[in-house]
Amino acid sequence: MHELGLMQSVLAAVEESATAAGATRVLEVRICVGEMTEAVVEALEFAFEALSSGTLCEGAKLEASYIKPHSRCRVCGNEYDHDRYHISCPACGSFNVELLAGRDLYIDSIEVELPGDEPVAPTSQGESD
Amino acid sequence: MHIDLAKPILEKNDRTAARNRQLFDEKGVFVVDLMASPGSGKTSTILATIQALRDRYRIAVIEGDIASDVDARKIKAHGIPAVQVNTGGACHLESEMIARAVSVLDLDQLDLIILENVGNLVCPTDFYLGEHAKVMILSVPEGHDKPHKYPGVFQVSQAIILNKIDTMPVFDFDQDAFTASVKQLNPAAPIFPMSATKGEGVEPWAQWLAERIDALKAQQAGER
């Protein structure tokens, strides 16, 4: 799908929240991508790097986690994980199922640096807590 | 500092789409988003649909293309209002483009708007435009294995048109295998085998659409 456009929306939202919090820098952006969407994480990462240069997000880490498809069977009530291609209920075989998760596409949270914070190297993982 | 956002990435698109939908519902105009590959016969299918339904309903078409107004001119030549949206390189329609295109149409004089999305089986899938139904076309020459390669578009579609069935003898298209894999991905969606240019198989599809247009009209009348 259109990863560059998606990442523009992500960066705009992140910049807005970070600025509102008075942050001087964004250290990490965590996004969640449902496996049933057509978004590709590698393309998102590329877009993030390309678009973040010169913004508060420059040098920040993009952490993308895939969300496994999860459905409920409307016939027998069974809830189960599945892959992109097989959505039928493994218990009773019904196709009358409701997708509960897997089409998600959202920004989960961000880590930002505030003016008084101990500076953290952009690539550092080490927040001692 | 940690900030929880829990913010949908497509929030802006979805908000505008919801506004589009509200407008369509208020005006009782049924909107269908037609998705397919380039060359699968989207415009021919639209023309066949217009032919089948124009005596009963007032129809307009919004044509999405990266460039040119070739398709819009084809539709207008049949006396049907058509708005061309040039996405300027973007591989799908977004809700804001639809909002702008709709603003030049007189919705009080319409029952059905057909959106012809940009030829692409991937990008349009995740973009809600405010339509009542997404429908996809697969044409026989593309092959019966497409549901495995592009599951997303088969899953979001409420109906699937199998076009160019007149070419079936020439291509190695296994219709049973196609039907089985569509059922795996989207058991509720009907499949309409069709030859848009020959006018074959158009009626069941037109009937499916007509039922939905009528249902929206009835719902709108009930709310008045």
Side-chain angles (χ1 to χ4, degrees):
Chain A
M1 75 178 299
H2 208 62
E3 282 78 1
L4 214 55
L6 286 185
M7 209 27 91
Q8 272 167 347
S9 320
V10 170
L11 283 169
V14 169
E15 291 270 322
E16 193 186 309
S17 308
T19 308
T24 48
R25 199 153 64 99
V26 176
L27 303 172
E28 188 172 330
V29 176
R30 294 190 197 95
I31 59 169
C32 293
V33 178
E35 276 183 19
M36 306 282 278
T37 71
E38 300 285 326
V40 179
V41 166
E42 287 76 12
L44 287 170
E45 281 167 353
F46 175 78
F48 181 75
E49 224 178 289
L51 294 171
S52 63
S53 130
T55 73
L56 283 179
C57 290
E58 184 166 346
K61 191 174 150 204
L62 179 72
E63 185 79 42
S65 24
Y66 271 119
I67 296 179
K68 276 244 163 252
H70 184 78
S71 288
R72 179 173 44 224
C73 176
R74 290 201 183 98
V75 177
C76 73
N78 179 34
E79 273 194 32
Y80 55 97
D81 290 335
H82 53 92
D83 66 14
R84 259 183 105 181
Y85 305 97
H86 301 88
I87 60 165
S88 63
C89 173
C92 74
S94 170
F95 282 105
N96 185 5
V97 299
E98 182 188 0
L99 187 74
L100 301 176
R103 292 207 64 85
D104 325 67
L105 209 48
Y106 65 94
I107 313 167
D108 179 35
S109 63
I110 58 176
E111 294 294 333
V112 299
E113 194 174 280
L114 297 176
D117 284 355
E118 237 2 74
V120 182
T123 49
S124 165
Q125 305 280 317
E127 276 182 6
S128 48
D129 50 13
Chain B
M1 184 172 82
H2 178 92
I3 305 174
D4 280 321
L5 287 179
K7 194 179 168 67
I9 295 174
L10 292 171
E11 192 177 42
K12 191 163 169 272
N13 179 73
D14 290 347
R15 251 199 325 256
T16 309
R19 272 203 301 274
N20 289 346
R21 175 58 182 266
Q22 198 185 351
L23 182 65
F24 301 148
D25 284 346
E26 271 168 26
K27 300 287 186 182
V29 184
F30 191 82
V31 178
V32 58
D33 174 19
L34 207 53
M35 305 174 295
S37 311
S40 57
K42 287 190 293 301
T43 309
S44 307
T45 301
I46 290 173
L47 289 173
T49 309
I50 288 170
Q51 202 56 42
L53 294 176
R54 68 182 306 163
D55 293 342
R56 276 183 279 169
Y57 304 107
R58 299 161 299 175
I59 307 170
V61 176
I62 296 176
E63 287 284 345
D65 280 298
I66 288 176
S68 94
D69 64 346
V70 176
D71 285 348
R73 278 190 279 135
K74 272 190 219 164
I75 304 287
K76 279 183 189 162
H78 290 80
I80 296 290
V83 185
Q84 182 75 48
V85 176
N86 284 140
T87 61
C91 46
H92 58 270
L93 289 171
E94 291 189 15
S95 54
E96 184 58 40
M97 301 173 191
I98 300 306
R100 283 202 300 268
V102 161
S103 69
V104 304
L105 292 170
D106 184 357
L107 295 185
D108 291 321
Q109 299 301 320
L110 291 174
D111 306 307
L112 170 68
I113 298 177
I114 304 172
L115 309 177
E116 180 176 340
N117 219 313
V118 181
N120 185 325
L121 287 183
V122 181
C123 305
T125 307
D126 291 327
F127 288 84
Y128 175 44
L129 306 173
E131 74 281 346
H132 295 90
K134 282 193 188 301
V135 170
M136 73 164 294
I137 306 170
L138 185 87
S139 62
V140 165
E142 292 171 73
H144 59 257
D145 54 356
K146 286 297 170 290
H148 293 294
K149 296 183 178 177
Y150 302 95
V153 69
F154 284 90
Q155 274 158 347
V156 301
S157 297
Q158 285 184 29
I160 292 151
I161 294 172
L162 178 61
N163 196 23
K164 307 190 188 179
I165 50 161
D166 52 317
T167 68
M168 204 84 84
V170 187
F171 293 94
D172 184 23
F173 190 95
D174 184 340
Q175 197 172 345
D176 291 339
F178 175 74
T179 306
S181 30
V182 169
K183 196 172 155 51
Q184 276 277 309
L185 294 167
N186 188 349
I191 300 174
F192 297 110
M194 188 187 298
S195 167
T197 51
K198 302 252 184 325
E200 278 169 44
V202 179
E203 201 41 53
W205 149 247
Q207 189 52 40
W208 184 89
L209 205 49
E211 281 165 18
R212 276 148 188 83
I213 300 167
D214 293 343
L216 181 65
K217 289 278 176 213
Q219 184 192 327
Q220 185 207 18
E223 277 166 15
R224 267 191 191 150

